Amino acid sequence: QVQLVESGGGLVQAGGSLRLSCAASGGNFRSYGKGWFRQAPGKEREFVAAISWSGGSTSYADSVKGRFTISRDDAKDTDAKDTVYLQMNSLKPEDTAVYYCAATTQLIHTRVYAYNYWGQGTQVTVSS
């Protein structure tokens, strides 16, 4: 069964940091682009960051540029775990949302519709 499983969410004060992880299993996602999206209550799911299969290309939403960093294990190293990360620094209350990991057959993409597989999400809450 193909699965993407997020972890690392939690409650943090404004200005703090969290690192989210997304582990893939049940399928070969090494050649897939990966992305992070988030959804706050009453709002649509929005793009946060994306990374190409090789890790050579990244893209960020303007709201998180300079604060968040996406990375992934070396896709060419078959001994490495197939995990993508989102390092979140200088967190703000407006970053509060459920964060979702997703995989796409596209090289890299910023739109929800381009992603074929989704995780169940992990809650991030930033208190002021």
Side-chain angles (χ1 to χ4, degrees):
Q1 182 179 356
V2 173
Q3 275 193 315
L4 296 172
V5 180
E6 302 96 334
S7 60
L11 173 64
V12 64
Q13 289 189 331
S17 298
L18 283 174
R19 188 193 195 206
L20 305 184
S21 299
C22 174
S25 64
N28 185 0
F29 288 106
R30 295 179 185 279
S31 62
Y32 282 53
K34 298 283 180 61
W36 286 96
F37 292 77
R38 65 187 182 187
Q39 188 166 17
K43 294 189 176 181
E44 291 187 354
R45 192 167 297 188
E46 65 175 6
F47 169 73
V48 175
I51 189 167
S52 62
W53 76 270
S54 68
S57 297
T58 57
S59 181
Y60 295 92
D62 288 342
S63 58
V64 306
K65 278 181 182 176
R67 300 189 298 122
F68 291 11
T69 302
I70 188 171
S71 62
R72 65 186 298 167
D73 292 329
D74 186 355
K76 296 185 290 293
D77 182 355
T78 55
D79 291 329
K81 295 180 181 178
D82 185 10
T83 302
V84 63
Y85 308 93
L86 186 68
Q87 178 66 43
M88 305 186 296
N89 299 327
S90 302
L91 282 162
K92 304 176 181 179
E94 50 263 45
D95 294 319
T96 295
V98 177
Y99 282 71
Y100 296 91
C101 169
T104 175
T105 55
Q106 304 287 326
L107 176 64
I108 188 169
H109 215 290
T110 63
R111 298 297 182 93
V112 170
Y113 67 77
Y115 286 78
N116 312 92
Y117 299 95
W118 292 84
Q120 82 290 346
T122 185
Q123 177 70 47
V124 171
T125 303
V126 184
S127 63
S128 57

